[in-house]
């Protein structure tokens, strides 16, 4: 009867919204060991990806995933729903029952609802179509409708098991965060052989350790090896501690994603009326390898996750001059010089980095450096047509005692800290002790502090840096689970205090939600305000922060090779306009070397971090011309064009390159870099994404070759030849489709 009711309900809604329902037998569900179906399967799709969803009596399941016009993957198991809760220290089993009456479905989303009678909980298993193109999004919410405080174990965001014939060759692809400095590998392609087991982790602050796998940008692609390059990818939209796992056993490919269960056991507390939500994940299909997947995914991130208010403005991404060229020595005089010079060279924003404040946690201008405060500095930038941005690490407490400062010895603040300061602890110049914004009062303090700073100093951009979002805490009276003394570890690293225990994932779960709330409020209070995620360079680069910031610093090393490597890796999955490179001064005996340095950071968001008043006259001319070229020709491509990795990952010695091509406008550019090896003076780059039968006009920006007309077929098969005899030099090759 329930089945009939839901069938009718879905059919009714399906007819209304044009949704397609198919007969059970189309699915060959008989072969699948999933829970007994309690409804007709539901199809949900974007232009590329289709999922088949099935409400079983006790569990829902993702029955199948299909690449439109291509292949499909069948799931052997239902979603695992948590099987018990703890109440007053007693374990109580849960019995979930599908609720057709509470379930909803439309062409843009499906929610299958399951209820548990005693204790009364409700679980909503949801899929969403966020944009016409791209992956589909999924999450699970558990509401505590009982009158009791309960503890629940870990509910994964997603788990499935594709049936894959043993003789099919598979390849997995993933990329590391550029945390600190990109590693020598960065981008991984691995054969998924029998017995393969892998897990990739991400957190709010990646601090790589020698000999250990680095954190990933939480996403992976699995595709058939060679041949058609059909594949699927899975990503996590959350900045807290998460993991994605992959295992191949027999004819099964087991996949899981969600909060990181390690260190175990995970548990989280739900007061009456509270809810737990799994980190959203997205699942998409692809063809054409990692760049084929990326060209759909990057657009989806722009359409579904990015702040449209920011990215639709024609100056996004902005050209930025950052004060760190003067380091902590920034003051009013230096800032005014830099602002004047920024405007003269054609920058669009002046960004005051660390060094402006009275002390860590005391986010007011240092009166000895800025006797008139920051507002006149912002006003001066605005008068000269520049935006004004500011650095802050708004969860750090230290020793300042002036009103408004976060002081670790203030008993209220002490209670918010992730741990007591160890004996003899001292803050660094711009690093303190992290407060846990998962605590309501700490969240409220931080929300007020950032709002005041944006208002008082007339900011157009606020950058946050350092260890901002807690992912470990030893306090027993915070909303997260308490630490387990059996696996509690405290240590210092990177100038910060760290705590690790089995509650770490729950700490990060609460703090990340509080962080998202603060960022969202700021955007509402200040429409148009830009938000930069720095976090000591490339340590919180993920899809959750992509939805709550406008751009990322992608590494903390600012040399040309590190900048190109970090960009090469992150640009597989994130919109290049969001990927910020800080460019610092490098030895540049020739102007070609100087341009190589600039362009290595000009493939996405460009921030210069050197005191431009010290540039030589030819360097000033090169900077001015490069910024003008960025605005007129590069930025339109960086904002919207497809991107192709047309070389192996940069190693600094041989050649490397990135291609942009916008099929709608028929424009493209090749960034070509010649590394330190003087041997190879010419290099061929095979372009991608062009039309074979069309011809293209090539223009070599640096004049390394004469302009020429070449067919798309030749450019894609033979390639374009770039001649750069000097080591550490570069060229931009523009190409334009002719009628
Ligand atoms: Zn805490």
């Amino acid at each position: 009867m329930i089945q009939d009711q839901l069938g009718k309900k879905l059919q009714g809604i399906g007819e209304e919204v044009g949704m397609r329902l198919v007969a059970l037998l189309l699915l060959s569900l008989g072969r699948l060991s999933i829970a007994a179906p309690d409804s007709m399967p539901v199809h949900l799709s974007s232009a590329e990806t289709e999922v088949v969803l099935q409400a079983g009596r006790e569990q829902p399941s993702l029955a199948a995933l299909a690449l439109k016009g291509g292949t499909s993957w069948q799931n052997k198991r239902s979603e695992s729903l948590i099987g018990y809760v703890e109440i007053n220290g007693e374990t109580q089993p849960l019995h979930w029952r599908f609720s057709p009456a509470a379930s909803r479905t439309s062409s843009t989303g499906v929610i299958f609802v399951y209820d548990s009678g005693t204790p009364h909980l409700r679980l909503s298993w949801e899929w969403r179509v966020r944009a016409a193109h791209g992956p589909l999004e999924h999450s699970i919410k558990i509401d505590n409708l009982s009158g009791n405080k309960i503890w629940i174990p870990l509910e994964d965001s997603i788990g499935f098991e594709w049936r894959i014939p043993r003789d099919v060759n598979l390849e997995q692809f993933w990329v590391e965060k550029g945390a600190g400095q990109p590693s020598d590998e960065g981008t991984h392609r691995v054969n998924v052989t029998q017995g393969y087991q892998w897990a990739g982790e991400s957190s709010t602050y990646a601090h790589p350790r020698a000999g250990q796998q680095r954190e990933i940008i939480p996403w992976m692609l699995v595709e058939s090896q060679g041949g058609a390059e059909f594949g699927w990818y899975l990503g996590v939209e959350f900045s807290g501690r998460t993991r994605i796992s992959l295992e191949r056993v027999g004819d099964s490919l087991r996949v899981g994603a969600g909060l990181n269960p390690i260190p175990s056991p995970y548990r989280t507390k739900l007061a009456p009326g509270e809810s737990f939500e799994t980190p959203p994940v997205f699942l998409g299909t692809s063809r054409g390898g990692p760049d084929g997947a990326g060209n759909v995914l990057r657009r989806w991130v722009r359409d579904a996750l990015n702040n449209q208010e920011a990215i639709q403005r024609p100056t996004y991404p902005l050209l930025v001059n950052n004060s760190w060229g003067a380091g902590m020595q920034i003051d009013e005089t230096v800032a005014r010089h830099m602002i004047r010079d920024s405007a003269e060279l054609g920058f669009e924003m002046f960004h005051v980095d660390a060094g402006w404040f009275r002390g860590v946690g005391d986010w007011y201008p240092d009166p000895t450096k800025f006797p008139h405060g920051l507002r006149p500095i912002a006003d001066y930038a605005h008068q000269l047509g520049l935006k004004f941005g500011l650095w802050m690490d708004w969860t750090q407490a230290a020793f300042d005692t002036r009103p408004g400062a976060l002081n670790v010895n203030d008993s209220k603040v002490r209670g918010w800290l992730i741990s007591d300061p160890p004996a003899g602890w001292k803050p660094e110049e711009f690093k303190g002790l992290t407060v846990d914004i998962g605590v309501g009062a700490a969240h409220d303090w931080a929300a007020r502090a950032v709002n005041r700073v944006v208002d008082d100093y007339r900011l157009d951009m606020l950058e946050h840096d350092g260890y901002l979002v807690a992912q470990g805490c030893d306090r027993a009276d915070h909303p997260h689970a308490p630490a387990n003394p059996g696996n509690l570890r405290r240590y210092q690293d990177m100038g910060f205090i760290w705590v690790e225990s089995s509650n770490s994932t729950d700490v990060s779960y609460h703090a990340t939600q509080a962080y998202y709330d603060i960022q969202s409020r700021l955007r509402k209070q200040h429409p148009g305000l830009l938000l930069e995620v720095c976090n000591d360079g490339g340590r919180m680069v993920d899809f959750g922060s992509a939805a709550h910031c406008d751009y990322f610093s992608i590494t903390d090393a600012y040399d040309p090779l590190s900048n190109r490597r970090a960009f090469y890796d992150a640009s597989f999955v994130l919109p290049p306009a969001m990927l910020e490179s800080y460019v610092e001064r490098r030895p540049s005996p020739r102007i070609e070397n100087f341009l190589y340095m600039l362009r290595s950071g000009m493939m996405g968001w460009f921030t210069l971090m050197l005191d431009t008043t010290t540039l030589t006259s030819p360097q000033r001319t090169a900077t001015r011309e490069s910024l003008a070229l960025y605005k007129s020709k590069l930025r339109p491509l960086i904002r919207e064009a497809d991107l192709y990795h047309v070389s192996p990952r940069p190693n600094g010695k041989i050649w490397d390159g990135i291609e942009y091509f916008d099929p709608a406008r028929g424009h493209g550019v090749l960034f070509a870099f010649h590394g330190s090896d003087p041997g190879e003076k010419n290099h061929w780059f095979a372009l991608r994404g062009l039309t074979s039968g069309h011809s293209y006009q090539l223009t070599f920006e640096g004049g390394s070759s004469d302009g020429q007309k070449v067919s798309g077929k030749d450019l894609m098969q033979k390639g374009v030849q770039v001649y750069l005899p000097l080591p550490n030099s570069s060229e931009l090759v523009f190409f334009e489709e002719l009628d």
Side-chain angles (χ1 to χ4, degrees):
M1 188 179 117
I2 291 171
Q3 185 174 336
D4 285 346
Q5 279 172 359
L6 184 75
K8 276 179 195 143
K9 183 180 172 61
L10 294 184
Q11 222 154 13
I13 295 168
E15 281 160 12
E16 268 174 44
V17 297
M19 206 180 65
R20 198 154 55 90
L21 297 171
V22 297
L24 273 174
L25 51 91
L26 281 182
L27 267 175
S28 310
L29 279 175
R31 290 192 289 111
L32 306 176
S33 57
I34 63 172
D38 210 43
S39 71
M40 305 287 274
V42 178
H43 286 228
L44 200 62
S45 65
S46 70
E48 299 82 12
T49 296
E50 180 166 26
V51 290
V52 184
L53 309 173
Q54 180 71 54
R57 277 186 200 97
E58 295 170 1
Q59 295 144 301
S61 67
L62 162 67
L65 170 72
L67 166 67
K68 293 259 190 91
T71 189
S72 69
W73 295 267
Q74 310 296 319
N75 188 4
K76 295 164 81 170
R77 73 170 178 88
S78 299
E79 194 92 88
S80 303
L81 307 184
I82 55 169
Y84 66 92
V85 297
E86 274 174 46
I87 301 176
N88 298 324
E90 303 273 315
T91 300
Q92 282 199 23
L94 295 175
H95 302 285
W96 296 106
R97 278 281 177 268
F98 178 51
S99 168
S103 299
R104 297 280 179 275
T105 182
S106 77
S107 61
T108 57
V110 169
I111 306 177
F112 288 156
V113 172
Y114 289 75
D115 283 325
S116 133
T118 322
H120 190 190
L121 307 182
R122 170 161 282 194
L123 184 145
S124 303
W125 190 78
E126 183 169 4
W127 286 82
R128 294 174 289 269
V129 182
R130 298 279 308 269
H133 288 270
L136 306 181
E137 195 180 72
H138 169 62
S139 62
I140 300 171
K141 182 163 161 261
I142 299 171
D143 300 313
N144 178 11
L145 304 179
S146 77
N148 295 313
K149 180 177 87 179
I150 62 169
W151 289 87
I152 62 169
L154 184 65
E155 177 70 68
D156 238 351
S157 295
I158 196 167
F160 52 84
E161 189 169 333
W162 299 146
R163 183 188 301 278
I164 305 275
R166 290 162 190 261
D167 59 352
V168 169
N169 292 322
L170 296 176
E171 191 171 82
Q172 185 200 19
F173 180 90
W174 84 90
V175 293
E176 296 171 357
K177 292 178 181 173
Q181 182 161 25
S183 76
D184 286 342
E185 194 166 6
T187 292
H188 297 254
R189 287 171 198 268
V190 185
N191 292 338
V192 182
T193 51
Q194 272 299 330
Y196 182 75
Q197 278 189 318
W198 174 88
E201 297 182 327
S202 175
S203 77
T204 54
Y205 192 101
H207 36 145
R209 294 186 182 90
Q212 287 183 19
Q213 182 178 303
R214 291 171 62 105
E215 285 199 7
I216 63 168
I217 298 177
W219 173 92
M220 71 171 174
L221 167 69
V222 177
E223 55 182 0
S224 53
Q225 210 173 30
E229 291 188 315
F230 288 155
W232 55 270
Y233 55 86
L234 176 66
V236 182
E237 288 168 47
F238 198 65
S239 309
R241 300 184 75 257
T242 61
R243 70 93 184 75
I244 300 177
S245 63
L246 179 68
E247 185 183 3
R248 188 169 192 181
V249 186
D251 68 347
S252 287
L253 190 67
R254 295 178 187 152
V255 180
L259 289 174
N260 193 340
I262 297 168
S264 67
Y266 178 86
R267 58 205 284 267
T268 193
K269 182 173 60 185
L270 291 184
E274 282 186 344
S275 303
F276 168 81
E277 274 184 75
T278 62
V281 292
F282 55 85
L283 181 63
T285 56
S286 72
R287 61 183 91 217
D291 278 333
N295 282 329
V296 175
L297 177 60
R298 289 182 286 261
R299 177 159 51 163
W300 181 80
V301 173
R302 291 202 303 265
D303 292 346
L305 303 185
N306 278 174
N307 180 17
Q308 300 303 312
E309 173 95 29
I311 70 167
Q312 296 298 340
R313 267 181 272 155
T315 52
Y316 177 92
L318 290 160
L319 288 163
V320 182
N321 195 8
N322 175 290
S323 72
W324 200 241
M328 295 292 285
Q329 307 317 311
I330 184 71
D331 62 17
E332 180 170 322
T333 310
V334 175
R336 283 181 175 271
H337 273 134
M338 284 183 158
I339 287 171
R340 202 154 47 235
D341 211 42
S342 299
E344 205 276 318
L345 289 168
F347 284 98
E348 296 163 315
M349 176 155 74
F350 181 67
H351 173 179
V352 172
D353 210 296
W356 61 271
F357 40 83
R358 293 196 300 217
V360 173
D362 188 9
W363 308 116
Y364 294 83
D366 180 340
T368 59
K369 293 178 174 180
F370 294 96
H372 307 97
L374 275 184
R375 197 182 273 207
I377 306 295
D379 290 347
Y380 185 54
H382 291 149
Q383 275 165 28
L384 298 189
L386 299 171
K387 302 280 187 196
F388 183 68
L390 192 67
W391 180 104
M392 191 173 172
D393 187 351
W394 40 265
T395 62
Q396 302 296 295
F399 289 142
D400 281 36
T401 52
R402 279 167 284 220
L406 265 191
N407 182 301
V408 296
N409 295 318
D410 173 340
S411 61
K412 173 190 71 181
V413 176
R414 170 85 43 145
W416 302 343
L417 297 173
I418 59 162
S419 187
D420 281 338
W425 176 82
K426 281 199 182 69
E428 295 192 1
E429 255 180 332
F430 51 90
K431 295 179 173 185
L433 223 165
T434 301
V435 299
D436 181 356
I437 49 172
V439 178
H443 159 280
D444 295 348
W445 182 92
R448 279 195 305 273
V450 291
N451 188 43
R452 175 190 65 77
V453 165
V454 172
D455 263 339
D456 282 4
Y457 313 136
R458 299 192 170 138
L459 302 190
D460 304 294
M461 187 279 283
L462 180 66
E463 170 205 0
H464 64 66
D465 200 15
Y467 174 32
L468 190 90
V469 183
Q471 53 180 348
C473 179
D474 60 18
R475 303 298 196 206
D477 58 350
H478 287 185
H480 54 70
N484 175 355
N487 62 7
L488 177 61
R489 186 173 159 239
R490 299 183 188 88
Y491 62 100
Q492 296 192 42
D493 180 35
M494 303 291 302
F496 297 108
I497 307 278
W498 303 89
V499 177
E500 271 175 25
S501 182
S502 49
N503 69 338
S504 291
T505 296
D506 197 39
V507 173
S508 81
Y509 170 75
H510 286 276
T512 300
Q513 288 185 329
Y515 162 73
Y516 290 164
D517 182 72
I518 291 169
Q519 296 280 86
S520 303
R521 280 165 192 248
L522 260 183
R523 277 182 172 168
K524 275 202 197 102
Q525 288 157 335
H526 307 277
L529 176 72
L530 290 163
L531 298 171
E532 179 196 349
V533 168
C534 183
N535 290 41
D536 291 350
R539 299 168 195 273
M540 201 169 89
V541 179
D542 64 76
F543 298 94
S545 39
H548 294 90
C549 83
D550 301 296
Y551 63 110
F552 299 104
S553 157
I554 52 173
T555 182
D556 205 29
Y558 321 115
D559 58 282
L561 176 61
S562 296
N563 277 336
R564 295 210 304 287
R565 282 180 157 180
F567 183 85
Y568 185 93
D569 299 338
S571 63
F572 276 106
V573 292
L574 286 162
M578 299 193 81
L579 306 179
E580 178 192 31
S581 300
Y582 281 91
V583 171
E584 72 173 1
R585 181 188 295 280
R586 304 299 290 180
S588 302
R590 302 179 60 119
I591 202 67
E592 288 88 346
N593 308 135
F594 184 77
L595 280 169
Y596 171 83
M597 175 193 91
L598 292 185
R599 288 172 180 164
S600 293
M602 261 191 181
M603 292 179 281
W605 184 297
F606 175 79
T607 294
L608 191 66
M609 198 167 60
L610 59 82
D611 183 352
T612 54
T613 60
T614 63
L615 293 176
T616 65
S617 173
Q619 288 173 343
R620 293 184 67 79
T621 305
T623 303
R624 196 179 291 115
E625 288 174 357
S626 294
L627 298 187
L629 186 71
Y630 184 94
K631 292 176 192 168
S632 64
K633 295 183 80 171
L634 296 176
R635 179 155 60 197
L637 295 167
I638 291 166
R639 284 165 65 92
E640 287 182 358
D642 288 343
L643 182 150
Y644 297 95
H645 296 77
V646 290
S647 74
R649 187 167 181 266
N651 69 5
K653 298 186 183 77
I654 60 167
W655 291 61
D656 59 84
I658 291 284
E659 175 200 341
Y660 280 106
F661 182 65
D662 181 349
R665 295 188 180 83
H667 289 199
V669 67
L670 168 71
F671 284 81
F673 297 96
H674 176 187
S676 60
D677 179 0
E680 195 191 10
K681 295 184 172 22
N682 286 293
H683 190 82
W684 288 89
F685 289 94
L687 300 184
R688 296 171 60 191
L690 309 182
T691 307
S692 284
H694 288 187
S695 49
Y696 295 81
Q697 178 66 46
L698 303 187
T699 314
F700 293 77
E701 182 62 28
S704 64
S705 298
D706 291 336
Q708 46 198 268
K709 206 186 290 183
V710 188
S711 75
K713 186 178 170 201
D714 276 357
L715 287 172
M716 291 194 288
Q717 288 182 358
K718 238 173 101 187
V720 52
Q721 189 182 30
V722 184
Y723 172 69
L724 291 172
L726 286 175
N728 300 323
S729 61
S730 62
E731 179 61 290
L732 298 174
V733 185
F734 291 95
F735 43 99
E736 192 171 339
E737 200 167 281
L738 302 169
D739 292 334

